[in-house]
Every structure is written in structure tokens, then in C-alpha cells.
Amino acid sequence: MLNIGLTGSIGMGKSTTAAMFREAGIPVYDADAVVADLYVKGGAAVAPLEAAFPGVTRDGAVDREALRQRVLGDDAAMARLNAIVHPLVGADRGAFFKHAQEAGADMVVLDIPLLFETGGDRNMDAVVVASAPEDQQRARVLARPGWTAERLDDILKRQLHDSEKRKRADFVVDTGQGLDHARAQVAEIIAALRDPARRPQRNNPAT
């Protein structure tokens, strides 16, 4: 079973691209969605995060904005956050792999926003990057409720630049030319991955 990493900077259409893989019958693991589930009332991350960062929960759930403000610009705080959340996400990912294998999937897509930044690309059989022109990226993000240019710029500073992600990618999905164009690219990527002669060769332990 091939492990396909899907990543892309904020506003680049990564979630839309992930949905296209899912529509094509490829199991997709959404790390952001898993974290969201961990943060809701009763979620496994709520109590340990409140213990580590008192005051970041409200009505039994993690207040994501309050947590963001607590760790913003603080590498030690970010490390504490990751030490709590990453093992919980890892356990859920293990269950996802088991289910996909039992279902006979020949590949899975791991939707991971900070794939390159965390070194996760080393464990992938191929990496797909969702990308779009910068003006489209900014327009998409700033159209979201509560977003400002300052907040966007702060996040972009913490992410590998899109141009570098494109260089490191095995495949790039250009989401700036419409859904049909992106969907055709996804179909072509799946076909290439299923063809041993066209599949990227990476030096990693994934199988």
C-alpha cells in the first residue's frame, strides 16, 4: 500500500484536492479533521491541553484561538502542544492504516499541512503539493471570516514557501485553473502512481 503525502500552504486548495482523491476512491487521512475531533467537548486532547495551558478551554472544548495565542511565537509552548497532540493523532492514524489495508486499498493519501516542515515527507512513497498563484491564495484566505492580512502573513512565515514545496514535490496540482482542471490532474496522478514505470522512486521505508 502506497503512502501518498498531500500538502500545500494555506489557501492553496489542499482540502479541495483531498476531496478529489476521496471521490476517486482513495482513502484520505485528514490530520486537521482529527485534531478538530480531539479538541471538541469530550475530545482526548481537552484535559491535557487545559492542564498544560490553563484557560484555553471553554465549555469543555478547546478554544482554538485562545490556544493559538498561547503558543504564538513561543517555540517551547509549541513543543509542549505537539508533545500532547501528536501521539493522539498518531494513534488515530494507525487505526486508519489498518482499516485501509483490510479494505484492500492500494494507496492512501495523508493530508498533512506541515508535511515538509515536520520531515514527514521522508516517510512517503510520493508527495503531492496543491498550489495556486499567490494572489488567488491571499484572496481565498482573506475571504474567510475573521482572517486578516497580518494573521495570514504570520502563518506563512511558519510555512515553507510554496515555490520550495513545488520543487520538493513529486506531483503538483494547480488549483488555480478551476475544479475540472484540478480533477483531471488528480486522475493523472493516481494513474501514474499505479504504474510502476511512472511511480516516483524515493529512498524511504514506506511500503
Side-chain angles (χ1 to χ4, degrees), residues 2-204:
L2 299 174
N3 295 333
I4 312 304
L6 171 63
T7 193
S9 299
I10 185 171
M12 288 298 195
K14 178 177 59 61
S15 295
T16 299
T17 302
M20 292 175 179
F21 276 101
R22 194 177 287 111
E23 290 168 4
I26 309 301
V28 175
Y29 183 80
D30 186 338
D32 274 352
V34 173
V35 171
D37 287 342
L38 293 172
Y39 286 3
V40 299
K41 187 174 183 178
V46 176
L49 285 176
E50 176 62 24
F53 306 100
V56 299
T57 62
R58 184 171 287 109
D59 299 325
V62 174
D63 182 330
R64 299 191 72 153
E65 180 58 23
L67 180 61
R68 188 181 77 87
Q69 292 295 336
R70 290 290 291 275
V71 303
L72 191 63
D74 186 336
D75 291 341
M78 183 62 74
R80 291 200 305 274
L81 170 63
N82 289 337
I84 293 169
V85 175
H86 284 183
L88 296 172
V89 173
D92 186 89
R93 187 165 56 239
F96 166 81
F97 281 129
K98 181 180 179 182
H99 179 76
Q101 288 177 327
E102 290 174 348
D106 61 344
M107 70 179 75
V108 295
V109 168
L110 304 175
D111 179 348
I112 304 175
L114 300 178
L115 182 69
F116 289 119
E117 291 84 347
T118 59
D121 57 300
R122 293 192 294 268
N123 299 318
M124 301 298 155
D125 293 293
V127 172
V128 179
V129 166
S131 182
E134 185 177 349
D135 59 339
Q136 290 192 33
Q137 175 192 29
R138 296 189 71 86
R140 290 169 179 174
V141 176
L142 295 179
R144 300 174 184 176
W147 279 83
T148 64
E150 181 180 21
R151 182 180 176 186
L152 172 58
D153 290 340
D154 180 72
I155 288 179
L156 290 176
K157 289 176 185 175
R158 295 174 171 271
Q159 296 185 347
L160 195 67
H161 193 273
D162 176 62
S163 61
E164 184 62 26
K165 289 180 179 179
R166 293 171 68 103
K167 289 179 185 177
R168 298 190 190 184
D170 297 296
F171 303 98
V172 176
V173 175
D174 181 355
T175 69
Q177 300 186 52
L179 295 177
D180 289 343
H181 185 264
R183 189 172 287 108
Q185 292 174 86
V186 168
E188 175 59 23
I189 289 169
I190 293 171
L193 290 169
R194 285 178 169 157
D195 181 349
R198 299 168 64 196
R199 186 183 304 155
Q201 299 301 312
R202 284 178 161 253
N203 294 320
N204 64 66

